[in-house]
Amino acid sequence: MLKIGCHLSSAGGFLHMGQEAVSIGANTFQFFTRNPRGSRAKELDVRDVEAYLAFAKEHGIGTIVAHAPYTLNACSADERVREFAHQTLCDDLKRMEYLPGNLYNFHPGSHVGQGIERGIALIAEQLNRILTPELHTTVLLETMSGKGSEVGGRFEELAEIIERVERKEKLGVCLDTCHVYDAGYDIVGHLEEVLSEFDRVIGLRRLRAVHVNDSKNPIGSHKDRHEKIGEGFLGLEALRRIVHHPLLADLPFCLETPNELPGYAAEIRLLREEDAIPCASPETH
Ligand code: FE
Ligand code: FE
Ligand code: ZN
């Protein structure tokens, strides 16, 4: 069964997120490990986590995705900022041990003028410090739109980071549909080609989660502005083809569209429907 959900607020705790997920027809979800701007995390409530785990088992909630604060920059030019990123990553991964077997996604970072090679080297260095043999979480690098000096707008950049990491078995990739499209990958007209390119450059076995977002901007815009499903340049049919693609069948899909819960419920319903998919994608016409 398709694993689909959306980004939820973690303010009410884990059990509350689980209940919200079920209420909107989701069987996975994503949440920020702390305030997205990167302030201190709340104390983890172990009883809430236990209650969530029991609830998740009962209601068939599968793998979930934790998202690091998006202000975290693992490859900043400032050593103090990099050290803060390290502390945050460590602390988040320590908490994730209470929910073993899940995913932790982060934005690789922005090299801020140091050059892409230096950015890649610094990110790999951070990963080599945090990925320990004891870890029960898979850390994911998110594909980025290539805005500003962002690292991760090209599959090659992510491949180069992975290449430099020792414990590759703890590392994966999260593909964001808005980001890759904004980065210039035509997942609307040439999905098969983009997936083969991903496979050739990174390896599809590294793909562990998908962010399902429409985009407010055309292909190659490098903007990163998410749109509601079907209201942007990707469109409903292209996104449906992605969530139902046989090569992506086991992955958790999380919406990060500008919505409240009822909007998410409607998008989950829309995307679950398979019937309306035309039997061939436009590229084969
Ligand atoms: Fe993200
Ligand atoms: Fe995303
Ligand atoms: Zn984004």
Side-chain angles (χ1 to χ4, degrees):
M1 179 151 125
L2 177 61
K3 286 183 217 152
I4 187 164
C6 67
H7 190 96
L8 294 173
S9 162
S10 57
F14 282 98
L15 178 59
H16 187 254
M17 286 193 281
Q19 289 164 340
E20 276 195 335
V22 168
S23 79
I24 57 171
N27 48 2
T28 181
F29 60 89
Q30 177 177 267
F31 61 98
F32 281 126
T33 51
R34 59 188 71 216
N35 180 302
R37 297 210 156 272
S39 65
R40 274 185 57 134
K42 269 197 316 194
E43 275 306 314
L44 195 93
D45 179 348
V46 180
R47 290 202 359 235
D48 171 50
V49 171
E50 277 168 7
Y52 163 73
L53 290 172
F55 181 88
K57 199 169 168 196
E58 191 185 327
H59 290 88
I61 300 176
T63 309
I64 54 173
V65 186
H67 196 306
Y70 50 74
T71 47
L72 177 149
N73 189 3
C75 63
S76 166
D78 183 339
E79 205 194 317
R80 285 163 308 176
V81 176
R82 291 202 303 271
E83 196 47 38
F84 173 76
H86 172 71
Q87 291 306 334
T88 304
L89 293 168
C90 275
D91 184 54
D92 281 355
L93 287 174
K94 221 179 278 165
R95 297 154 162 281
M96 288 298 288
E97 286 299 299
Y98 289 94
L99 300 133
N102 289 301
L103 306 166
Y104 177 72
N105 174 65
F106 79 109
H107 295 180
S110 293
H111 65 70
V112 285
Q114 302 172 94
I116 192 79
E117 280 306 318
R118 170 87 175 140
I120 286 168
L122 287 170
I123 296 159
E125 203 178 285
Q126 293 265 13
L127 287 164
N128 280 324
R129 283 175 77 195
I130 60 165
L131 300 180
T132 62
E134 300 81 44
L135 205 66
H136 293 92
T137 299
T138 303
V139 175
L140 307 184
L141 295 158
E142 182 165 349
T143 60
M144 302 309 292
S145 68
K147 187 175 58 181
S149 67
E150 264 175 5
V151 180
R154 303 290 315 163
F155 295 161
E156 285 79 3
E157 294 165 13
L158 298 178
E160 232 192 287
I161 296 170
I162 296 166
E163 179 58 37
R164 292 176 192 224
V165 172
E166 281 159 48
R167 293 197 182 85
K168 296 180 176 47
E169 73 280 5
K170 310 274 181 193
L171 193 58
V173 172
C174 171
L175 184 144
D176 185 307
T177 57
C178 168
H179 297 179
V180 292
Y181 188 69
D182 284 16
Y185 293 98
D186 188 6
I187 51 173
V188 177
H190 296 89
L191 177 61
E192 299 306 322
E193 285 87 336
V194 174
L195 290 178
S196 347
E197 189 174 343
F198 188 102
D199 194 33
R200 185 169 42 78
V201 177
I202 299 175
L204 270 175
R205 72 203 164 90
R206 295 256 172 246
L207 184 57
R208 303 296 300 275
V210 177
H211 286 164
V212 189
N213 301 310
D214 212 324
S215 176
K216 283 195 197 294
N217 295 101
I219 186 165
S221 62
H222 303 292
K223 284 274 184 21
D224 187 5
R225 302 274 316 279
H226 303 185
E227 182 54 283
K228 290 182 178 153
I229 301 304
E231 296 183 20
F233 280 82
L234 277 88
L236 175 61
E237 291 315 317
L239 292 167
R240 258 199 196 132
R241 274 197 295 276
I242 291 167
V243 303
H244 294 286
H245 197 288
L247 284 174
L248 314 178
D250 292 325
L251 303 176
F253 292 90
C254 285
L255 296 156
E256 302 174 308
T257 47
N259 273 304
E260 303 295 330
L261 286 181
Y264 279 133
E267 290 187 345
I268 289 169
R269 239 180 287 121
L270 263 179
L271 285 165
R272 278 196 192 278
E273 286 170 25
E274 237 172 317
D275 324 350
I277 303 178
C279 36
S281 56
E283 67 214 65
T284 57
H285 285 183

